[in-house]
Amino acid sequence: MKLSHKFILLLVVCLSAALLATIFVLKQVNDEAVHQATVAQESRIKTFWHLLRSKGHDFAIVDGNLLAGEYVINNNFEVPDKIQELFGGTATIFMNDVQVSTNVLKENGDRAIGSKLQGSAYNAVFIEGRPYRGETEILEVPYFTAYDPIRNQQGETIGALYVGVKKSEFFAAYTTLRNKLITVATVNVTIFALLSFVLVTRALRTLNRLTAAAQSVADGDLDVEVPVESQDEIGRLAATFNTMTSVVFKGMQFELAKANRMVTNIKEAIQQLSSSGSEIMAISAQQSAGATQQASAVQQAMTTAEEIAVTARQVAENAIQVEAQAENANTAGNSSSIAVENALQGMGTLKVQIMTVAEAMVGLGENSQQIGGIVNIIDEISAQTNLLSLNAAIEAAGAGEAGKRFSIVANEVKRLAERTAEATKQIKTLIEQIQRATNTTIILTEEGTKGVDAANLLVTRVADELQEILGLVKETTTAAREIKYSTQQQTSASEELASTIVEVRDVAAQVASSAQETSQAIVELTSLAERLKEMMEEELQEKGKAKTQSGARMMERILGQAISSGKLTLTDLFDEDYQPIPGTNPQKYHTRFDSFCDATLTNKQDEFLNDSQVAFAILIDRNGYLPTHNSRYTQPLTGDYDKDLKGNRTKRLFNDKVGLAAAQNEKEVLVQVYNRDTGERIWDISSPIYIQGQHWGAFRIGYIM
């Protein structure tokens, strides 16, 4: 909690205590006033009973009138008026729950005769049969009241007595006292608060400045000074703070310059180490590759020599086999020649036999044709016989009894003719099958004869080719003997070559192994250089995060003070109506706050460039608009695009991917790799900026990679 808040809290506590004491006193006075009202009401109602009983002790309702002895109370205002005369206030007599005698007046000035008793007083008097004391509204006006039941001789409640006084009248003195106390307390509190505020404000002004200055130092701005306005403890603290920041600022500048030089030297050494390692790595890789290729070539040569030796041995073995197989082929060829001659003789005999079969089949075909003719004749005879038997049967039928035996003979002749016809059909069918088979056999025989002729021709050709094969086999036998002798010599030479290549291979393997060891050492060296580079970049990023957050807090403070002092409004600061600046390429823009930034922020941003690793330190809004760049990037425009792109980068919208990510980021810190449009590759570290709780933009610092 701030010290000013503690003072305010203490002031509030003191004033609250005084106020509570005043309230307590007023409460006591109020309670006493209520007690006095109750006592006064008891005195009044006792006097009321005394006056009424002086008229008569027995109460009764006779003929619609309430009587005290012989005294008629209805519309008789003597006693209530006497109470008012003695004590003030109001008094009423009820017959049952209806007012029959009262000094309570209506708004029109008439007495409130006929009004009925209601509420808590009615319940107490007429339902519970007991007195009632307390506040009651009469004609919507609060009264302190006292009610007693009126009973007849039988103890029945037949009416009530009432006395009361307006609460406002009774508390008039209390209200006056209360108002005076409140007025006095208010004046005292106001004077005390003003005096305390003035004293505390003057006392805390220097402390607030010290706090703001300390925050600036925490944000990285060491070049601050607090005005010394007094010689008390706070003034001496401000003077001591100024001395401390001056010493620390100078020391920090010296150490920062020293650290920057050291970092630059280490960075250059790492780059040289990495570059040298890369060159050595390339040379070693070439050597390793050459040795590997040489070893591979030697291995291939050795493998080839071994394969040649093995092949030579195989060729020699195959040559021996070829020689043996050639001898066997020669022997088989001679046997085949004899077999072919025998085949030629057999083919001639087969041809003669097939021709004989063909002639026999032709004769069979002719005979089957003749049999078919005979069968046709038998078929005709059978038809005629059948006709004759039919005629004989007709004649026998015409002869009567004499023709019966002839009819029997005719029937037998008919059956014989039918059987003959049936047998003829079967024979005819068989003859047709024999004729078809004979024709097929004749055709096949003719084709067989042609096949025998073709086979005879092929066998003749085989005999001729076989004679040529026998000649080639003899030549193969001779060549195989010569190959056998040559391959025996080649095998011996190949084995000697393989032995020599093995020695060369071992030497090449040693060279390749040494090259790999050298390459591994260089890889480790390069890895070490990369690790050193990563450590430097990690250190740079950590430093960049702290500086970026410090810059963001400083910008929040400057912009917040500008709003507080009236130099800018919140609307001005959040202006997104970017007005193009004519004739600029890349396009530049004006806003309602860029002139303030030009006048106020340039020097603050340039202080971050004292670090040689910092390429830029800038403020951007949430759309990537950059109102004021560092002075090194705010050079006069020349009209030359390339020069202006590098030398004048202010008032541009950097809404590229990296720029927008930095502008719209709301995390504590965002680290990105930024490929600048001028060709540099840098670390971009940004931290968000909030103005009065609203995200406004970011503070970006670029570090050279």
Side-chain angles (χ1 to χ4, degrees), residues 157-189:
T157 302
I158 60 173
L161 288 186
Y162 153 81
V163 292
V165 62
K166 287 184 180 179
K167 188 175 180 180
S168 59
E169 293 178 358
F170 192 85
F171 275 91
Y174 165 77
T175 303
T176 302
L177 177 61
R178 181 194 63 188
N179 293 339
K180 289 180 179 180
L181 285 175
I182 292 175
T183 302
V184 171
T186 303
V187 171
N188 288 336
V189 166

Side-chain angles (χ1 to χ4, degrees), residues 75-94:
N75 295 314
N76 188 343
F77 310 117
E78 177 186 0
V79 177
D81 288 346
K82 188 65 176 179
I83 292 296
Q84 187 175 30
E85 179 182 347
L86 294 173
F87 301 104
T90 57
T92 300
I93 301 173
F94 291 88

Side-chain angles (χ1 to χ4, degrees), residues 111 123 129 148 248 263 309 339 344 405 525 533 590 677:
R111 294 178 185 265
N123 294 334
D148 279 346
V248 172
V263 169
L344 286 173
R405 281 184 286 178
L525 183 63
K533 183 178 178 182
H590 279 309
D677 56 7

Side-chain angles (χ1 to χ4, degrees), residues 620-624 659-667 670 688 695 697-698:
I620 59 171
D621 73 0
R622 57 187 170 185
N623 295 317
L660 279 181
Q664 298 175 0
N665 169 59
E666 295 190 31
K667 296 180 181 178
L670 177 64
H695 181 223

Side-chain angles (χ1 to χ4, degrees), residues 42-336:
E42 289 297 331
S43 176
R44 290 177 182 180
I45 201 164
K46 287 180 181 179
T47 303
F48 199 0
W49 274 114
H50 177 74
L51 292 175
L52 191 58
R53 284 194 176 100
S54 66
K55 303 298 182 181
H57 290 280
D58 298 328
F59 296 94
I61 298 176
V62 179
D63 297 330
N65 291 317
L66 179 63
L67 301 179
E70 299 297 330
Y71 183 76
V72 178
I73 297 174
N74 291 55
N75 295 314
N76 188 343
F77 310 117
E78 177 186 0
V79 177
D81 288 346
K82 188 65 176 179
I83 292 296
Q84 187 175 30
E85 179 182 347
L86 294 173
F87 301 104
T90 57
T92 300
I93 301 173
F94 291 88
M95 184 180 67
N96 291 324
D97 60 346
V98 179
Q99 295 183 12
V100 294
S101 177
T102 183
N103 59 12
V104 178
L105 302 180
K106 298 180 181 179
E107 291 182 357
N108 59 7
D110 295 337
R111 294 178 185 265
I113 297 299
S115 297
K116 288 189 175 184
L117 180 62
Q118 297 177 351
S120 300
Y122 174 84
N123 294 334
V125 173
F126 290 99
I127 295 178
E128 300 175 12
R130 61 177 180 82
Y132 173 82
R133 305 291 184 267
E135 293 187 23
T136 304
E137 287 192 358
I138 299 175
L139 299 179
E140 299 181 356
V141 177
Y143 280 77
F144 283 118
T145 62
Y147 290 87
D148 279 346
I150 298 175
R151 294 184 175 89
N152 58 17
Q153 292 180 351
Q154 290 78 28
E156 298 173 343
T157 302
I158 60 173
L161 288 186
Y162 153 81
V163 292
V165 62
K166 287 184 180 179
K167 188 175 180 180
S168 59
E169 293 178 358
F170 192 85
F171 275 91
Y174 165 77
T175 303
T176 302
L177 177 61
R178 181 194 63 188
N179 293 339
K180 289 180 179 180
L181 285 175
I182 292 175
T183 302
V184 171
T186 303
V187 171
N188 288 336
V189 166
T190 303
I191 294 173
F192 182 71
L194 290 175
L195 289 175
S196 299
F197 178 77
V198 171
L199 293 175
V200 171
T201 301
R202 291 188 63 184
L204 294 179
R205 182 165 56 194
T206 303
L207 286 178
N208 289 332
R209 290 174 178 173
L210 275 170
T211 303
Q215 183 62 48
S216 298
V217 171
D219 292 340
D221 185 10
L222 298 178
D223 189 15
V224 294
E225 184 175 352
V226 179
V228 180
E229 298 180 343
S230 63
Q231 298 301 319
D232 56 9
E233 290 81 356
I234 296 177
R236 289 196 297 272
L237 176 62
T240 304
F241 178 84
N242 292 335
T243 303
M244 179 189 70
T245 54
S246 177
V247 173
V248 172
F249 180 62
K250 291 178 181 178
M252 286 292 291
Q253 284 184 323
F254 176 77
E255 292 298 329
L256 182 61
K258 183 178 178 181
N260 286 338
R261 290 194 298 271
M262 182 177 67
V263 169
T264 302
N265 293 334
I266 293 174
K267 186 176 180 181
E268 291 175 354
I270 291 173
Q271 290 176 347
Q272 291 176 359
L273 179 61
S274 179
S275 177
S276 300
S278 299
E279 293 177 359
I280 298 173
M281 183 69 178
I283 296 171
S284 176
Q286 292 177 356
Q287 291 178 347
S288 178
T292 303
Q293 291 176 357
Q294 182 181 4
S296 178
V298 170
Q299 182 65 34
Q300 291 178 357
M302 185 187 71
T303 303
T304 303
E306 290 176 349
E307 291 176 352
I308 291 173
V310 172
T311 304
R313 286 194 293 270
Q314 292 176 350
V315 170
E317 293 173 357
N318 292 334
I320 293 171
Q321 294 178 0
V322 168
E323 182 182 9
Q325 291 174 358
E327 291 292 342
N328 294 333
N330 190 20
T331 302
N334 291 328
S335 299
S336 298

Side-chain angles (χ1 to χ4, degrees), residues 446-462:
E446 291 177 352
E447 292 179 353
T449 303
K450 294 179 182 178
V452 169
D453 292 337
N456 191 21
L457 179 60
L458 290 174
V459 171
T460 302
R461 291 180 180 176
V462 168

Side-chain angles (χ1 to χ4, degrees), residues 605-620:
Q605 293 181 158
D606 283 351
E607 290 176 1
F608 289 89
L609 272 60
N610 292 331
D611 186 343
S612 60
Q613 293 180 287
V614 176
F616 61 79
I618 53 175
L619 174 78
I620 59 171

Side-chain angles (χ1 to χ4, degrees), residues 545-605:
K545 291 178 181 178
K547 284 195 172 184
T548 303
Q549 289 179 295
S550 171
R553 302 294 82 74
M554 180 175 66
M555 294 300 166
E556 287 177 349
R557 187 173 61 256
I558 292 173
L559 296 176
Q561 290 173 354
I563 293 175
S564 299
S565 63
K567 294 179 181 178
L568 286 176
T569 65
L570 193 63
T571 304
D572 291 338
L573 195 57
F574 280 88
D575 175 31
E576 296 183 356
D577 184 16
Y578 306 112
Q579 298 297 320
I581 300 176
T584 54
N585 185 24
Q587 185 65 57
K588 300 179 182 296
Y589 303 89
H590 279 309
T591 60
R592 283 186 279 177
F593 58 86
D594 66 325
S595 58
F596 169 81
C597 295
D598 288 339
T600 309
L601 301 183
T602 303
N603 292 335
K604 295 294 184 182
Q605 293 181 158

